[in-house]
């Protein structure tokens, strides 16, 4: 790697941190109420899985020579993320009974917040 090259960002790290926190929270909730726990897990998963899809597509191509291909890949990743989220919510509401909807939406919001915080910290962190 030469001096002018840019390293690939650690984009999957944010999703891994989300997943670890989500599993930990759901393990704590399981003895209290298993419906609450799996509803929260599904809500958090509706953030984590689409984010992984986006990260895979958005950061496949690096460098100025591939800028137009990279931009197309980012658009594809964002549309796929949006579609996965919508389809995921539809499938959860159609197929999962019983469901604790407050836990589903609460975990979705918390997982989104965690993603923003972790991503912001990665972006503002000084390189080693």
């Amino acid at each position: 790697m030469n001096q002018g090259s840019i390293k690939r960002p650690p984009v999957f790290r944010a999703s891994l941190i989300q997943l670890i926190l989500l599993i930990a929270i759901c393990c704590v909730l399981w003895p209290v109420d298993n419906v609450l726990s799996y509803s929260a897990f599904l809500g958090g998963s509706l953030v984590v899985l689409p984010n992984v899809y986006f990260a895979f597509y958005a950061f496949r191509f690096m460098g100025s020579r591939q800028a137009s291909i990279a931009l197309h890949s980012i658009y594809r990743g964002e549309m796929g993320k949006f579609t996965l989220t919508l389809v995921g919510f539809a499938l959860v509401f159609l197929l999962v009974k019983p469901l604790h909807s407050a836990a589903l939406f609460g975990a979705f919001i918390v997982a989104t917040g965690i993603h923003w915080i972790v991503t912001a910290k990665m972006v503002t962190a000084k390189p080693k």
Side-chain angles (χ1 to χ4, degrees):
M1 190 183 288
N2 63 25
Q3 296 266 345
S5 65
I6 298 172
K7 288 184 178 180
R8 250 181 231 282
V11 293
F12 293 104
R13 187 182 313 160
S15 295
L16 181 62
I17 291 169
Q18 279 179 300
L19 187 61
I20 291 168
L21 290 172
L22 178 63
I23 290 170
I25 290 167
C26 291
C27 286
V28 169
L29 290 175
W30 188 265
V32 176
D33 184 355
N34 63 343
V35 174
L36 184 74
S37 179
Y38 72 69
S39 296
F41 182 78
L42 291 170
S45 296
L46 290 172
V47 176
V48 175
L49 296 176
N51 280 338
V52 168
Y53 180 89
F54 173 76
F56 175 76
Y57 276 99
F59 297 102
R60 283 175 37 180
F61 304 100
M62 301 291 284
S64 60
R65 292 183 184 175
Q66 298 180 345
S68 64
I69 297 169
L71 184 60
H72 176 74
S73 188
I74 289 170
Y75 287 145
R76 179 178 177 179
E78 188 60 35
M79 288 306 299
K81 177 181 171 181
F82 184 70
T83 303
L84 284 171
T85 303
L86 289 177
V87 170
F89 270 111
L91 288 173
V92 166
F93 281 114
L94 287 172
L95 302 175
V96 179
K97 305 288 185 220
L99 181 69
H100 193 291
S101 59
L104 178 83
F105 286 115
F108 181 84
I109 291 167
V110 169
T112 301
I114 290 169
H115 180 74
W116 290 346
I117 291 166
V118 170
T119 303
K121 289 206 179 266
M122 285 191 311
V123 169
T124 59
K126 293 181 182 182
K128 294 179 182 178

